[in-house]
């Protein structure tokens, strides 16, 4: 186990035990030593789809232009990217929109919590920062125009709480220091009311609930209901999430326990796509998916684009590197199937492909 930061020890000593979600929030976003606030994470400890290969952003751009062209609209449309990381997807989307002569029809908004990553985004976006893009703090937009939210590996980075059913009673996970001053976790009795969605689970099952995710997704659903638009979400998880502990840390590229390296490891969990779908249906939204990331990208012409880019590249070393990143993005036993895409949209938009999964 790595050293526990002094400010976390102080917090745990003063509170005795804290919620799992408070522990995750501290480890990822504490101003002094939080992982996303202070460490070079994306592209070092783990790799994301936009960082792997430009085709990811190009396919999303083609999709955006295709669906938005179906509806006559004189106003500019807004793209809002949640958790833009290094700004690579934003850069790829803006440059593709420019190539498609569609740049002037859109503005680009970045919603980012980490001050360090905001700086990285500004540097990586360069000139693009100046015209059509800005950072926003509030998702309750007042702008009366269609909104297209893009979330890649955003929801799996939000803090969660875990509840366990024991003897037909729900208990909540807490984090504390044990008698040897090591980080420890256990389930304790709770008065928290569990949503009906989870009522039928079995004893010993664990459910994962994110209040932060609930707040954000309800805000996004409300915005697209009022202003029209779409939420395009890519994230990590199976089609049917099991009632079990899916939390994992990533330390220097390797999986680890979330208590192993507080503030020095990433912490993620599996997304419950079925649950998100159930929420969207309450808003009478249309839902496509979840489908695999691979299927989304293939439907948007990823293979054809890959062949064009490969033909343009004359350097054999670069060709090999490009092909290997494309394989990781698309392969069934890699990100192609581990990652899923789910799209929530209002009736006006017709998706250019259909999958029944
Ligand atoms: C796993 S990274 C994904 C980065 C990027 N989307 C990519 O694919 O490379 C998660 C991102 O979400 C941001 N993030 C996490 N929680 C957030 C919150 N509550 N509000 C805004 N951004 C948040 C992180 O700072 C980071 O940029």
């Amino acid at each position: 186990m790595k050293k526990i930061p002094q400010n976390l020890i102080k917090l745990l000593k003063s509170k005795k035990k804290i919620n799992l979600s408070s522990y995750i929030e501290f480890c990822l976003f504490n101003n002094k030593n939080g992982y996303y606030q202070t460490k070079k994470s994306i592209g070092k400890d783990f790799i994301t789809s936009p960082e792997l290969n430009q085709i990811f952003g190009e396919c999303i751009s083609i999709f955006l232009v295709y669906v938005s062209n179906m509806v006559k609209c004189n106003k500019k449309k807004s793209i809002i990217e949640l958790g833009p990381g290094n700004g690579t997807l934003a850069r790829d989307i803006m440059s593709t929109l420019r190539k498609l002569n569609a740049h002037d029809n859109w503005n680009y908004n970045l919603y980012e919590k980490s001050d360090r990553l905001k700086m990285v985004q500004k540097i990586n976006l360069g000139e693009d920062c100046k015209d059509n893009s800005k950072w926003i703090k509030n998702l309750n937009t007042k702008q009366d125009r269609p909104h297209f939210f893009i979330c890649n590996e955003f929801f799996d980075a939000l803090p969660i709480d875990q509840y366990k059913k024991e003897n037909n009673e729900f208990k909540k996970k807490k984090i504390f220091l044990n008698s040897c001053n090591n980080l420890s976790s256990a389930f304790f009795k709770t008065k928290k009311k569990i949503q009906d969605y989870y009522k039928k689970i079995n004893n010993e099952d664990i459910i994962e609930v994110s209040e932060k995710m609930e707040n954000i997704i309800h805000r996004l659903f409300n915005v697209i209901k009022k202003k029209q638009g779409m939420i395009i979400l890519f994230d990590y998880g199976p089609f049917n999430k099991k009632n079990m502990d899916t939390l994992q840390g990533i330390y220097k590229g390797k999986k680890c326990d979330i208590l192993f390296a507080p503030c020095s490891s990433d912490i993620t969990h599996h997304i419950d796509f079925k649950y998100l779908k159930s929420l969207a249906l309450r808003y009478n939204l249309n839902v496509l998916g979840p489908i695999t990331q691979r299927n989304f990208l293939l439907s948007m012409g990823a293979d054809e684009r890959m062949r064009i880019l490969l033909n343009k590249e004359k350097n054999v070393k670069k060709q090999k590197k490009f092909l290997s990143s494309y394989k990781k993005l698309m392969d069934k036993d890699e990100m192609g199937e581990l990652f899923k895409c789910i799209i929530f949209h209002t009736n006006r938009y017709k998706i250019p492909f259909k999958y029944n999964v």
Side-chain angles (χ1 to χ4, degrees):
M1 198 176 269
K2 298 281 155 195
K3 211 170 153 212
I4 309 170
Q6 276 307 319
N7 51 354
L8 180 56
I9 295 181
K10 202 169 156 201
L11 176 78
L12 289 165
K13 285 198 167 158
S14 73
K15 300 255 183 203
K16 305 285 182 249
K17 47 185 190 283
I18 59 173
N19 285 332
L20 173 62
S21 54
S22 312
Y23 170 77
I24 298 174
E25 180 79 28
F26 187 101
C27 289
L28 298 184
F29 284 103
N30 179 266
N31 277 336
K32 192 164 163 244
N33 41 5
Y35 179 71
Y36 282 115
Q37 293 284 28
T38 55
K39 314 277 181 315
K40 186 178 180 317
S41 46
I42 308 153
K44 188 167 174 259
D45 285 347
F46 60 92
I47 189 90
T48 60
S49 300
E51 296 290 326
L52 255 180
N53 196 300
Q54 68 187 73
I55 289 178
F56 184 73
E58 291 178 342
C59 285
I60 294 179
S61 315
I62 290 166
F63 177 79
L64 286 171
V65 172
Y66 187 93
V67 289
S68 64
N69 277 350
M70 279 175 192
V71 180
K72 216 169 170 247
C73 171
N74 298 327
K75 291 176 189 161
K76 271 197 180 200
K77 286 146 282 201
S78 285
I79 296 170
I80 303 102
E81 188 185 346
L82 282 75
N86 293 336
T88 310
L89 180 59
R91 192 196 58 202
D92 287 348
I93 290 181
M94 281 190 247
S95 103
T96 313
L97 290 178
R98 206 173 287 118
K99 284 182 202 153
L100 297 172
N101 262 337
H103 192 241
D104 289 342
N105 304 335
W106 297 86
N107 63 23
Y108 209 104
N109 303 276
L110 300 106
Y111 180 74
E112 173 59 63
K113 184 168 169 136
S114 154
D115 297 327
R116 192 191 78 81
L117 283 173
K118 270 187 207 164
M119 292 292 292
V120 175
Q121 290 154 18
K122 279 186 184 147
I123 294 166
N124 284 343
L125 284 174
E127 284 297 305
D128 275 324
C129 285
K130 293 202 185 101
D131 13 306
N132 255 350
S133 63
K134 68 170 191 290
W135 279 258
I136 55 164
K137 286 200 174 124
N138 191 347
L139 291 168
N140 294 329
T141 163
K142 293 204 169 62
Q143 293 175 334
D144 189 23
R145 51 171 67 153
H147 284 65
F148 292 76
F149 294 97
I150 301 174
C151 319
N152 185 59
E153 288 207 57
F154 169 71
F155 286 102
D156 75 350
L158 297 181
I160 58 163
D161 278 301
Q162 288 182 336
Y163 296 86
K164 188 177 189 179
K165 200 170 182 187
E166 275 178 7
N167 301 322
N168 293 320
E169 191 181 35
F170 279 102
K171 293 186 172 173
K172 185 174 186 178
K173 189 180 261 185
K174 300 267 183 181
I175 309 292
F176 53 92
L177 290 173
N178 63 18
S179 52
C180 305
N181 272 340
N182 287 328
L183 279 172
S184 207
S185 70
F187 287 91
F188 294 89
K189 278 189 178 179
T190 178
K191 288 192 180 126
K192 185 94 184 160
K193 210 176 156 327
I194 303 295
Q195 302 168 39
D196 289 344
Y197 184 84
Y198 296 112
K199 282 276 162 63
K200 286 191 187 140
I201 71 165
N202 299 319
N203 273 320
E204 298 305 311
D205 277 355
I206 290 175
I207 54 165
E208 299 183 321
V209 177
S210 172
E211 276 182 24
K212 193 117 204 176
M213 184 208 74
E214 297 262 339
N215 284 338
I216 293 177
I217 201 78
H218 284 293
R219 256 182 277 168
L220 304 194
F221 286 154
N222 274 316
V223 171
I224 62 168
K225 268 311 259 191
K226 274 194 207 137
K227 323 250 178 205
Q228 296 294 329
M230 207 172 263
I231 304 163
I232 306 161
L233 191 159
F234 291 86
D235 230 313
Y236 184 47
F239 286 118
N240 290 311
K241 188 179 173 184
K242 301 223 169 78
N243 293 323
M244 56 185 264
D245 181 353
T246 72
L247 269 175
Q248 69 175 35
I250 305 278
Y251 180 71
K252 296 195 173 166
K254 293 210 173 91
K255 287 183 187 175
C256 66
D257 191 280
I258 63 153
L259 303 183
F260 174 71
C263 298
S264 299
S265 67
D266 188 27
I267 300 179
T268 61
H269 64 277
H270 286 176
I271 293 301
D272 191 341
F273 294 101
K274 256 191 170 170
Y275 177 65
L276 286 177
K277 198 167 181 168
S278 76
L279 295 181
L281 294 177
R282 285 196 225 154
Y283 284 76
N284 275 331
L285 288 167
N286 294 352
V287 183
L288 177 114
I291 62 172
T292 61
Q293 166 163 305
R294 176 188 160 75
N295 274 346
F296 175 88
L297 297 174
L298 285 177
S299 306
M300 289 295 106
D303 269 357
E304 291 78 0
R305 181 67 180 146
M306 180 270 290
R307 282 192 282 274
I308 291 170
L309 289 171
L310 202 61
N311 274 337
K312 272 191 188 166
E313 182 58 71
K314 299 295 170 223
N315 180 311
V316 177
K317 243 187 179 171
K318 284 189 183 159
Q319 274 184 351
K320 273 192 183 154
K321 200 172 163 208
F322 177 77
L323 264 184
S324 117
S325 69
Y326 185 72
K327 214 167 129 39
K328 195 166 166 64
L329 185 73
M330 302 295 281
D331 267 12
K332 292 190 172 165
D333 51 357
E334 301 242 25
M335 293 168 92
E337 291 213 341
L338 291 175
F339 281 75
K340 312 288 185 298
C341 168
I342 191 163
I343 298 172
F344 307 106
H345 61 108
T346 46
N347 285 333
R348 291 168 95 187
Y349 298 98
K350 300 277 171 287
I351 305 283
F353 52 84
K354 213 176 172 85
Y355 282 105
N356 295 319
V357 193

